[in-house]
C-alpha cells in the first residue's frame, strides 16, 4: 500500500506534498486505531487528492459531505470499510444571517472577510450560500464552532447581524454565478492564462502573482511560469475567479482555444 501511494504522490505538484502527508497521517490513524477520522473542510482539489490516495488501497473508505448537495467545500471521513457512516458524523451545522434586508446589502466576500478578520479559521467554514436575489445568506460551519461564531459575529462589514442555527434540510441550494466564455491564449502558463482571461497586461499579471494575490487551487501561486491544467481554479484578487473548462485545439494563428468559466469582480 505504501509503495502504491508513494508512487502516485509523485504525480502531484510539489506544493501539494504537505497535504498528501496529512492525508497519509489521517489514513494511518484510521487504520491503526480502527476508527473514523473526520477532516476539516477541504477544497475540491484536496478532495480529489484524498480520494485518489485512499482508492489506492482496500482497507479504508472515504466519504465526503458539505452540508448541501453540490457544496464546493466538504469534510471527509476516512474509516474502515465496515463502518456505518451517518450524516451527523460529519459535524456540520447551518447558520442563517439575520440582518435588515430592506436597508443593507451583503456580499460573499464581506461575509467571509468578517469571519476571517475575527480570527475564525477558513477550514472550519464551508460554503456560503445565497438565494437568486442575493438577499438571503447562509453559512455552513463546523458544528463545534457554532456557539463561538454566534457570540463573536455581531456585524457583517458595517451591517448589524446575528446568526441563527437552522437544520441542514433548510439549506439554500448551491447557486453558481459562473459565466462561460471563449478565450484564445498562446500557452497554459499562469501569467498568460490570467492575462488572456481578465484582459490584463503581462506586467500587471506578473505583479499580481509576485505580490501573492493569485491563488491556484486555493494555494498562493509561486511562479508566473507554472503550467495551468484543465480544472484548475485560479483566483485573482479584485479581478475574480476562473477555471479552464476545456481545450478545443488551436486556432489558425496557433492559439489555444479554451472554454473558461469566469466570475468577474
Amino acid at each position: 500500500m505504501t509503495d502504491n501511494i508513494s508512487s502516485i504522490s509523485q504525480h502531484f505538484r510539489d506544493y501539494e506534498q504537505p497535504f498528501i502527508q496529512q492525508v497519509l497521517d489521517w489514513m494511518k490513524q484510521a487504520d491503526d486505531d480502527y476508527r473514523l477520522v473526520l477532516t476539516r473542510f477541504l477544497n475540491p482539489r484536496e478532495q480529489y487528492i484524498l480520494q485518489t490516495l485512499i482508492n489506492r488501497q482496500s482497507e479504508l473508505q472515504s466519504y465526503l459531505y458539505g452540508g448541501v448537495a453540490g457544496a464546493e467545500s466538504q469534510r471527509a471521513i476516512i474509516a474502515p470499510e465496515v463502518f456505518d457512516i451517518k450524516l451527523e458524523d460529519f459535524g456540520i451545522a447551518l447558520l442563517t444571517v439575520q440582518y435588515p434586508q430592506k436597508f443593507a446589502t451583503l456580499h460573499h466576500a464581506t461575509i467571509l472577510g468578517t469571519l476571517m478578520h475575527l480570527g475564525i479559521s477558513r477550514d472550519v467554514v464551508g460554503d456560503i450560500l445565497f438565494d437568486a436575489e442575493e438577499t438571503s445568506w447562509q453559512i455552513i460551519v463546523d458544528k463545534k464552532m457554532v456557539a463561538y461564531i454566534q457570540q463573536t459575529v455581531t456585524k457583517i462589514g458595517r451591517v448589524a447581524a446575528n446568526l441563527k442555527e437552522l437544520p441542514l434540510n433548510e439549506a439554500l441550494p448551491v447557486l453558481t454565478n459562473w459565466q462561460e466564455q471563449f478565450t484564445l491564449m498562446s500557452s497554459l502558463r499562469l501569467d498568460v492564462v490570467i492575462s488572456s482571461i481578465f484582459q490584463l497586461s503581462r506586467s500587471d499579471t506578473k505583479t499580481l502573482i509576485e505580490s501573492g494575490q493569485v491563488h491556484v487551487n486555493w494555494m498562493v501561486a509561486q511562479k508566473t511560469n507554472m503550467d495551468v491544467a484543465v480544472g484548475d481554479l485560479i483566483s485573482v484578487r479584485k479581478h475574480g475567479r476562473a477555471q479552464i473548462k476545456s481545450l478545443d485545439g488551436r486556432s489558425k494563428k496557433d492559439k489555444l482555444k479554451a472554454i473558461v468559466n469566469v466570475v468577474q469582480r
Side-chain angles (χ1 to χ4, degrees), residues 207-224:
T207 299
L208 286 167
I209 295 172
E210 292 180 345
S211 59
Q213 298 186 67
V214 174
H215 289 71
V216 177
N217 296 328
W218 299 268
M219 298 289 292
V220 175
Q222 302 292 332
K223 298 178 180 180
T224 59

Side-chain angles (χ1 to χ4, degrees), residues 43-211:
N43 63 53
R45 179 65 178 177
E46 291 172 329
Q47 296 165 31
Y48 169 74
I49 293 173
L50 180 144
Q51 290 187 303
T52 300
L53 294 175
I54 290 179
N55 287 343
R56 299 290 291 187
Q57 49 75 53
S58 59
E59 293 86 1
L60 301 171
Q61 289 288 334
S62 63
Y63 309 83
L64 293 169
Y65 182 57
V68 63
E72 180 177 274
S73 296
Q74 301 191 42
R75 301 186 82 175
I77 286 177
I78 303 169
E81 287 184 309
V82 297
F83 276 46
D84 182 21
I85 305 301
K86 302 177 178 62
L87 291 184
E88 51 264 34
D89 294 331
F90 288 89
I92 290 175
L94 176 70
L95 297 174
T96 187
V97 182
Q98 297 180 321
Y99 71 103
Q101 296 183 6
K102 291 183 179 180
F103 308 103
T105 301
L106 297 183
H107 301 282
H108 185 286
T110 309
I111 295 172
L112 183 59
T114 295
L115 296 173
M116 300 302 99
H117 181 72
L118 292 172
I120 296 169
S121 175
R122 182 66 182 92
D123 59 19
V124 301
V125 179
D127 280 25
I128 296 176
L129 308 172
F130 51 90
D131 62 1
E133 292 75 31
E134 297 190 20
T135 55
S136 295
W137 293 87
Q138 298 176 344
I139 311 169
I140 295 174
V141 300
D142 183 330
K143 194 169 185 64
K144 292 180 180 178
M145 295 295 296
V146 168
Y148 176 76
I149 292 174
Q150 287 179 318
Q151 294 167 7
T152 306
V153 178
T154 58
K155 288 185 176 182
I156 303 291
R158 297 182 179 180
V159 179
N162 63 77
L163 303 178
K164 177 184 177 182
E165 185 173 3
L166 295 177
L168 286 172
N169 61 13
E170 294 187 27
L172 294 167
V174 174
L175 298 180
T176 59
N177 47 4
W178 291 108
Q179 294 184 343
E180 190 174 278
Q181 72 180 46
F182 175 77
T183 304
L184 292 172
M185 52 189 71
S186 59
S187 75
L188 291 177
R189 272 178 52 130
L190 179 61
D191 55 350
V192 173
V193 171
I194 292 173
S195 297
S196 302
I197 293 172
F198 295 105
Q199 299 182 356
L200 299 170
S201 69
R202 291 284 290 278
S203 61
D204 286 344
T205 300
K206 184 174 184 289
T207 299
L208 286 167
I209 295 172
E210 292 180 345
S211 59

